[in-house]
Amino acid sequence: MRDSITNSTTSTGRGKEAASVDREKMRKQRYKKVNTGKGKKVGFFESIGLKIKGFCDGRKGFPRQTDKDDWYSPFMNQEVNSFEEFCSHTWGSLQIENEGEYARLKELMDGIRQKKGLLEAARADLAVAVATKRENDSESSRKKGEDKLTDTQIRARRKAEKEKKLAPVKSKVAGLEQELKNAEEAFSDLHSKLVEDDNTTRLICHRVRDHVLMRLDVYWNSVLRRHPDGASMPVVPVLELKDEAEEAYLRPHKELMKRAAAIHDAIQDEAAEKEVA
């Protein structure tokens, strides 16, 4: 298991290096979309095209009222589909980027649980060994050939012998503590990355949604000028843009991330308790 934890926290082989480069490339592209994903205000030339489209649709009687008393047009449907396609592509890219990371996260979680069990058992063995040694040995007891040594020298010898016998058990405890610390650090870093990726992707889709709504506002305002029923139409378009791709992405990872959040909180609480102590 120790080798498994080490392999999961380091890149080995050309295949993994290539995959890491690809993931980093997609990550940079995704962060770039925060600023370039049409999250800005409607530009001058963009608004001209929207106004012309609204003017032409208004003359044709679009948008038209649906059975649900909503006002809808082919152009509005196109904008909705465009937003949904963008979200699907963005969340889909994130799935490709992180598909191996969720498996790695689960492996780290299983490793942490196992390491904690082994460490607890090793600490119990150490406590028993210390207690047994204390009962059986006296720090002032003399062995053959030690008659001329002082009491201070005798106590120093007995203490050194005691530490030597306990060294293997203490070394095992120290090794497991370090392995657990490394696994927890790798887990915390990966968990934070996955949460950050979700938040960044969600921000990108929210900004694109806001931009689409602004586009529809410009279009709608132009429609009202020429639509035969403009006086009875809503002042602004009543339209809800849903990011169903986000739910589709999060659903398979929901239980895993819930468990990961609990482990992350437990690690943070233990670290806070150590600082206080």
Side-chain angles (χ1 to χ4, degrees):
M1 189 65 195
R2 182 175 182 176
D3 293 338
S4 177
I5 294 295
T6 302
N7 291 336
S8 67
T9 56
T10 58
S11 297
T12 57
R14 295 182 178 178
K16 287 188 176 182
E17 291 178 359
S20 178
V21 171
D22 291 340
R23 285 196 301 270
E24 184 62 25
K25 183 178 179 180
M26 286 190 290
R27 186 178 180 85
K28 289 181 179 180
Q29 291 175 347
R30 185 159 41 81
Y31 272 89
K32 186 178 180 180
K33 288 180 182 178
V34 174
N35 293 321
T36 62
K38 291 189 176 181
K40 302 176 182 179
K41 292 182 178 180
V42 179
F44 174 74
F45 293 104
E46 184 181 6
S47 65
I48 291 178
L50 293 169
K51 290 176 181 178
I52 293 174
K53 183 62 179 177
F55 181 85
C56 294
D57 276 7
R59 291 181 60 182
K60 297 176 184 177
F62 291 112
R64 293 177 183 173
Q65 198 168 14
T66 66
D67 296 338
K68 298 180 180 180
D69 294 332
D70 296 327
W71 294 82
Y72 216 55
S73 71
F75 175 78
M76 295 173 67
N77 186 65
Q78 179 183 342
E79 290 290 293
V80 171
N81 290 338
S82 176
F83 171 72
E84 291 178 351
E85 189 275 336
F86 176 88
C87 292
S88 296
H89 178 269
T90 304
W91 285 105
S93 298
L94 183 62
Q95 174 62 32
I96 295 174
E97 177 186 339
N98 286 340
E99 59 183 352
E101 302 290 48
Y102 283 102
R104 180 173 171 237
L105 183 70
K106 185 179 184 303
E107 182 180 351
L108 287 170
M109 290 165 59
D110 293 340
I112 288 173
R113 183 177 66 253
Q114 184 181 35
K115 294 295 181 188
K116 283 186 174 181
L118 293 173
L119 179 58
E120 185 177 342
R123 284 173 175 171
D125 291 342
L126 178 60
V128 171
V130 170
T132 303
K133 196 66 181 170
R134 188 180 295 115
E135 292 176 0
N136 297 338
D137 297 338
S138 173
E139 292 185 355
S140 59
S141 63
R142 292 175 181 269
K143 295 182 179 181
K144 186 177 180 179
E146 296 180 340
D147 297 337
K148 295 182 180 181
L149 298 178
T150 65
D151 291 342
T152 301
Q153 290 174 321
I154 293 297
R155 284 193 293 270
R157 281 194 173 191
R158 298 295 85 82
K159 183 177 180 181
E161 292 170 355
K162 179 181 178 181
E163 290 298 322
K164 185 177 181 180
K165 290 182 178 179
L166 294 176
V169 186
K170 288 185 175 180
S171 177
K172 182 178 181 181
V173 170
L176 287 171
E177 287 177 340
Q178 186 60 46
E179 289 179 15
L180 177 61
K181 180 181 178 182
N182 293 341
E184 288 181 340
E185 288 178 351
F187 164 81
S188 296
D189 291 343
L190 180 56
H191 178 261
S192 298
K193 172 192 174 298
L194 291 173
V195 172
E196 179 187 355
D197 286 348
D198 289 352
N199 291 336
T200 303
T201 304
R202 189 175 297 110
L203 173 61
I204 292 170
C205 291
H206 283 185
R207 294 193 66 176
V208 173
R209 180 197 62 191
D210 292 341
H211 185 80
V212 170
L213 291 176
M214 286 190 294
R215 283 173 54 85
L216 290 175
D217 285 340
V218 175
Y219 165 80
W220 190 269
N221 186 54
S222 181
V223 164
L224 293 179
R225 298 176 184 273
R226 298 295 299 178
H227 201 287
D229 299 324
S232 60
M233 293 174 63
V235 178
V236 294
V238 181
L239 188 65
E240 182 179 3
L241 297 178
K242 297 181 180 180
D243 183 5
E244 296 181 355
E246 177 181 351
E247 178 60 26
Y249 170 83
L250 295 176
R251 192 181 303 116
H253 314 303
K254 186 175 182 180
E255 291 301 321
L256 178 65
M257 292 303 288
K258 184 177 180 181
R259 287 174 50 207
I263 294 175
H264 183 269
D265 291 342
I267 293 174
Q268 295 298 318
D269 291 341
E270 289 177 5
E273 290 176 0
K274 288 180 181 180
E275 290 181 0
V276 173

